[in-house]
Amino acid sequence: MAHEKTTSTSAKILYRPIGLLSGIASGAAAGILFKQIWKRAAPQHPEDTPKALESEFPLREIVIAAAIQGALYATVKALVDRGGARAFEKVFGEWPGD
């Protein structure tokens, strides 16, 4: 059984700006990471990542790129959110989630 951490309303409110900033940072980091991966995965288009409305890319390539990008974003965001919550708990003594 998982250890349940206690959370106060003030901890949740205090964490909101931290969570917002970490969300922006994780999105930017995931975008950079995706572009680097895509350069290696699709050397024929090293500068362009496929977007849904760009006709030069086949649908299959667009869907694969979107799936990779979504998975990277979710993974990076989860890691950053969890790390931020742990750091917040160490500093303030309360878990900011739940």
Side-chain angles (χ1 to χ4, degrees), residues 30 33-35 37-38 41 61-75:
L33 182 59
F34 172 70
K35 285 182 182 182
I37 290 171
W38 193 256
E61 196 171 331
I62 290 169
V63 170
I64 289 169
I68 293 168
Q69 191 172 20
L72 278 172
Y73 174 76
T75 301

Side-chain angles (χ1 to χ4, degrees), residues 31-71:
I32 291 168
L33 182 59
F34 172 70
K35 285 182 182 182
Q36 293 302 312
I37 290 171
W38 193 256
K39 280 182 186 180
R40 287 167 181 77
Q44 67 275 19
H45 301 289
E47 297 302 316
D48 293 333
T49 56
K51 294 172 187 59
L53 298 178
E54 292 180 343
S55 61
E56 74 239 32
F57 295 101
L59 179 60
R60 181 173 192 250
E61 196 171 331
I62 290 169
V63 170
I64 289 169
I68 293 168
Q69 191 172 20

Side-chain angles (χ1 to χ4, degrees), residues 1 3 6-7 12 14 19 23 29 37 39 46 49 56 60 63-65 71 78 82 84 87 89 96:
M1 189 156 118
H3 173 69
T6 59
T7 302
K12 287 181 181 183
L14 188 58
I37 290 171
K39 280 182 186 180
T49 56
E56 74 239 32
R60 181 173 192 250
V63 170
I64 289 169
R82 190 62 169 213
E89 183 182 35

